Amino acid sequence: MSCDQRVCRDCIDVMSSADSCHPCVAARPPEEQLPTRRPEAAVVQAPKDRSSKAVPLGWFGLLLGGLSAVLPLVSIIQLPLMLLCPMVMLILGKRAWVMARCDLEDIYQERIPLEVRPAIRGRATHARVLGVLNILGGLLGCIRLSTVVSYFGGALF
């Protein structure tokens, strides 16, 4: 401010209220000098890789959906699975789809380093497909469940 010189980020006096270079701060009387510090370098965080957690969620949902579709043919204890599996598939599918969408948005906003983008994009696409399959499977399971309930409900009354 006092010498009209440009100041780079490394030389700026960040403790004083005005932008001052180090020579200007050193030229001040000792009682006006504040301890100076260099601004910390930006902390580089590791990219959030949500899709690496979303892919197992998607596969687990599909496994539950497959079990709920096959077990009524094999087992008598089918009602709890028929009630629970479509809901779990919907929840896991939505979660996997949202996590994949967040990773893809981070890629498009360039918040993820260039060298890891292809790997994260592949996992995010995989998780998004699994999420959609789980949502569709959960909806079909709910339709199947409502059909069974309406059939037996009509037979009872």
Side-chain angles (χ1 to χ4, degrees):
M1 296 291 282
S2 61
C3 65
D4 292 329
Q5 296 293 321
R6 291 180 178 233
V7 180
C8 71
R9 182 180 172 150
D10 290 335
C11 296
I12 195 169
D13 176 23
V14 294
M15 296 300 283
S16 68
S17 59
D19 293 339
S20 301
C21 62
H22 287 290
C24 287
V25 171
R28 292 185 193 149
E31 61 272 0
E32 290 182 17
Q33 290 184 11
L34 295 172
T36 61
R37 65 175 176 86
R38 290 179 179 245
E40 290 87 23
V43 177
V44 178
Q45 294 179 339
K48 292 185 180 180
D49 185 10
R50 299 171 198 91
S51 56
S52 63
K53 296 174 186 139
V55 169
L57 287 177
W59 280 113
F60 182 69
L62 286 180
L63 176 70
L64 279 178
L67 283 176
S68 71
V70 171
L71 278 179
L73 303 174
V74 178
S75 175
I76 295 176
I77 313 172
Q78 61 187 350
L79 189 61
L81 282 175
M82 284 183 67
L83 293 173
L84 187 62
C85 286
M87 298 303 157
V88 172
M89 284 182 74
L90 285 171
I91 291 168
L92 292 178
K94 180 182 178 237
R95 187 68 186 149
W97 186 76
V98 168
M99 292 168 81
R101 184 180 54 107
C102 290
D103 273 355
L104 289 173
E105 184 178 321
D106 284 348
I107 289 171
Y108 296 138
Q109 297 292 325
E110 297 180 356
R111 288 179 263 190
I112 293 180
L114 190 61
E115 60 273 0
V116 294
R117 283 184 197 166
I120 293 178
R121 180 179 288 128
R123 278 192 301 270
T125 303
H126 188 177
R128 187 170 55 176
V129 168
L130 289 172
V132 169
L133 289 175
N134 273 304
I135 290 170
L136 291 175
L139 290 174
L140 288 173
C142 288
I143 291 169
R144 184 182 77 174
L145 180 64
S146 66
T147 305
V148 168
V149 168
S150 67
Y151 176 76
F152 286 116
L156 293 176
F157 298 109

